[in-house]
Amino acid sequence: MKFEHNYIDGQWCPAALGATRTITDPGNGEVLAVVAESSREDSVRAIAAARAAFYRDGAWRRMSGPNRAAKLFAVADRIEARAQELAVLDSRNSGKPLREAEGDVADAAACFRYYAGLIGKPQGGVYEVGDGFGPMHAYTVHEPVGVCALITPWNYPLLMATGKLAPALAAGNCVVLKPSELTPLSAVELFRIFEEVGLPAGTANLVLGAGPDAGHELAASSDVDMVTFTGSTKTGQSIATAAVGNLKKVGLELGGKSPNIVFADADLEGAVEWAMIGVFFNQGEVCSAGSRLLIEESIKERFVERLAERARALRIGHGLDNPDLGAIVSQAQLDKVLGFIERAQAQGAQLVCGGQRVVDGDCAKGFFVQPTIFDRCTPDMEIVREEVFGPVVAVQTFRTEDEAIALANDTRYGLAGGVFTTDGARALRVMKEIRAGITWINCYNPTFNEAPWGGYKMSGYGRDLGVNGLHEYQQVKQVNINLRPGPVGWY
Ligand code: NAD
């Protein structure tokens, strides 16, 4: 049995109160590890370590850009060297198909490389300024924010942690990561890698455990300069509220209920395939999932028939067997998904396929749900309004472009959206109207380390990834230089 501890100030240590949590494989119930279950005390210690490392020692923030980059390149190399082991760990811990976990690990290594490279590129600017007080010269520098708390969810365990750690560390911050209590195992290995490459003590700290205790302290503490969070909108609201005390910087990547619009002129087979990637990838446990399919009325019957045919053929099983759909992450999430399915039927949505827990053979040991399609959904239904975070899609129809846009934007969320059409001008017209931060034309769900990721409306604020992702973890300082020192002659 593996016992995994917190990593604070360069030391592995049990939770302050000695509590532990058992981590299981959601695909078969096997115990994977016992890990520290932290409380407020552990977060306080980790914050203090990060604070001392940043403000007192300053070893990481003062390290030259190229030297910091070298450490992060070394992290990427070691992730790649252990790629298969990390992929197996994320697949077993979260339930996802192995090939998807392998993609996550490759992306995680690439993310460290991207930010290691970015930190050496020119930043800041030189400004032409007024001469009311005599000739002046102004320039800006980008500096780390300070102590950053990073709180991540369970659907992409390694990737979500990496998308915050890589830019935060590249910028010179000291960090405390709290991964989801359900899927902490790949983060533990990542911190072993940090230890191997020799990040200065206190630069990167790991606190394992649940949100309301360990997580809340990270959001509320006045000793934290920034909190960045990926998770549900409800938790995001509580984090923003807790963070207000010291006006720390806040970044929120939250939930979604994203529209995927298919016009009658779209390539049908292609659109069906992408719609499946949009809603069944990672068992639908994807924030950007295209979980509202808006289909032009004239092709709806044909489209749904083909989608259902393909969905019924998907293989469901344990992640390591490389199925099309793996296990749902936990019993609680399984119950949540099944509850949405039950209520959708009660509210009059028409179940086209799926809708059941899978209990055949070995699936009985884990938490599996059939890919599920609901037709004849109306805007008021819960299945159209609320995020399920499972392999469930709600189909609505439209007749005109304006109607499609209105339906697409009829949501409190604004994370993502897609449009399928062979009319290029229409694709661009529709895209311009969609109120969401991440959009796709004739595809759905590909994501890139190089491009900014984040939402409008109640899907949050701030951006992960891309150049914007680095700027989130930086302050911009203005430096004004008097070019004619001496009396200014004002008084
Ligand atoms: P969650 O909000 O339950 O938990 C996310 C993290 O917050 C976990 O680490 C949890 O321990 C912690 N947490 C919970 N309560 C807390 C509190 N009061 N204070 C501080 N921390 C707390 O979300 P989840 O169930 O782990 O993940 C699913 C959600 O994440 C979905 O809504 C999904 O859309 C969202 N998500 C969004 C993105 C994005 O980029 N926008 C990406 C992935 C997931």
Side-chain angles (χ1 to χ4, degrees):
M1 173 62 53
K2 280 186 109 175
F3 287 87
E4 303 293 11
H5 292 327
N6 290 334
Y7 186 70
I8 298 176
D9 206 14
Q11 304 289 328
W12 295 96
C13 47
L17 302 182
T20 58
R21 173 187 292 265
T22 302
I23 303 296
T24 52
D25 178 333
N28 58 21
E30 277 176 23
V31 173
L32 298 176
V34 174
V35 303
E37 177 65 18
S38 304
S39 54
R40 183 179 167 272
E41 288 78 355
D42 299 283
S43 291
V44 168
R45 281 192 55 208
I47 293 164
R51 213 166 167 82
F54 187 85
Y55 288 100
R56 187 193 62 203
D57 307 340
W60 183 247
R61 74 180 154 88
R62 290 199 189 104
M63 193 180 281
S64 72
N67 287 345
R68 251 189 352 254
K71 296 275 187 203
L72 299 184
F73 280 125
V75 169
D77 291 345
R78 282 167 197 255
I79 290 174
E80 265 173 5
R82 296 177 59 186
Q84 199 53 27
E85 178 201 343
L86 289 168
V88 167
L89 202 55
D90 254 6
S91 171
R92 294 193 74 192
N93 197 173
S94 70
K96 69 173 67 202
L98 184 60
R99 67 176 169 150
E100 295 184 20
E102 287 166 348
D104 294 354
V105 176
D107 273 0
C111 187
F112 273 102
R113 288 218 172 88
Y114 175 75
Y115 284 108
L118 196 59
I119 202 64
K121 304 291 182 289
Q123 296 186 63
V126 177
Y127 299 85
E128 289 284 339
V129 291
D131 58 359
F133 288 93
M136 294 270 174
H137 178 71
Y139 68 93
T140 52
V141 287
H142 289 209
E143 297 186 336
V145 176
V147 173
C148 300
L150 320 174
I151 303 177
T152 53
W154 44 257
N155 60 337
Y156 285 88
L158 183 65
L159 210 48
M160 289 290 142
T162 299
K164 297 190 186 301
L165 284 164
L169 290 172
N173 296 284
C174 290
V175 303
V176 181
L177 171 73
K178 196 205 78 61
S180 167
E181 61 275 27
L182 299 178
T183 54
L185 301 183
S186 55
V188 170
E189 296 309 320
L190 185 58
F191 273 68
R192 290 211 166 93
I193 288 175
F194 289 164
E195 190 180 28
E196 285 162 22
V197 306
L199 296 192
T203 300
N205 304 277
L206 176 68
V207 171
L208 305 174
D213 271 358
H216 177 80
E217 181 61 23
L218 295 175
S221 170
S222 296
D223 286 336
V224 171
D225 301 301
M226 172 175 183
V227 59
T228 151
F229 167 79
T230 299
S232 62
T233 293
K234 190 158 173 268
T235 309
Q237 287 171 312
S238 88
I239 284 182
T241 307
V244 85
N246 69 332
L247 293 181
K248 61 173 67 65
K249 209 172 172 188
V250 181
L252 299 175
E253 301 284 340
L254 308 178
K257 189 76 197 178
S258 301
N260 189 5
I261 307 170
V262 185
F263 285 94
D265 66 352
D267 168 64
L268 191 113
E269 274 304 305
V272 166
E273 181 86 26
W274 281 111
M276 290 172 66
I277 292 171
V279 79
F280 299 138
F281 204 81
N282 208 48
Q283 303 75 242
E285 295 165 332
V286 179
C287 52
S288 56
S291 55
R292 287 188 294 139
L293 254 179
L294 309 179
I295 306 177
E296 191 163 347
E297 200 175 76
S298 60
I299 60 158
K300 197 266 291 184
E301 293 301 325
R302 227 164 13 113
F303 192 96
V304 171
E305 202 175 292
R306 184 69 181 130
L307 187 70
E309 194 182 333
R310 299 289 313 276
R312 284 190 197 99
L314 291 177
R315 290 171 306 113
I316 302 170
H318 190 275
L320 293 187
D321 295 332
N322 247 329
D324 297 312
L325 265 80
I328 299 291
V329 73
S330 66
Q331 175 81 56
Q333 187 64 19
L334 173 79
D335 293 344
K336 196 175 145 202
V337 173
L338 293 174
F340 273 111
I341 291 173
E342 201 180 306
R343 290 190 298 279
Q345 287 174 278
Q347 287 175 15
Q350 183 193 49
L351 184 66
V352 178
C353 72
Q356 300 288 322
R357 179 177 182 177
V358 184
V359 287
D360 312 333
D362 281 349
C363 284
K365 296 187 209 152
F367 312 126
F368 297 91
V369 180
Q370 294 172 331
T372 299
I373 301 170
F374 280 108
D375 195 1
R376 297 176 198 277
C377 297
T378 52
D380 54 310
M381 288 180 181
E382 182 195 52
I383 202 70
V384 169
R385 307 217 72 80
E386 300 299 331
E387 182 182 48
V388 176
F389 225 56
V392 182
V393 64
V395 176
Q396 293 172 267
T397 53
F398 65 86
R399 286 190 181 152
T400 65
E401 189 177 308
D402 285 348
E403 196 187 350
I405 292 166
L407 284 171
N409 286 332
D410 182 16
T411 170
R412 66 188 177 124
Y413 295 111
L415 190 58
V419 59
F420 286 81
T421 173
T422 46
D423 178 340
R426 172 155 66 191
L428 297 181
R429 261 192 328 264
V430 172
M431 248 340 131
K432 218 171 162 186
E433 295 300 320
I434 300 290
R435 302 291 299 160
I438 308 142
T439 57
W440 292 280
I441 295 175
N442 291 329
C443 58
Y444 202 99
N445 255 348
T447 65
F448 307 99
N449 286 318
E450 296 80 7
W453 177 275
Y456 289 15
K457 294 155 72 176
M458 291 193 77
S459 294
Y461 43 77
R463 292 292 178 270
D464 274 349
L465 304 177
V467 178
N468 304 61
L470 181 66
H471 291 167
E472 294 285 333
Y473 295 96
Q474 295 178 317
Q475 295 280 22
V476 179
K477 179 182 279 175
Q478 184 184 123
V479 184
N480 300 302
I481 307 165
N482 183 358
L483 296 179
R484 194 180 294 142
V488 67
W490 187 262
Y491 294 111

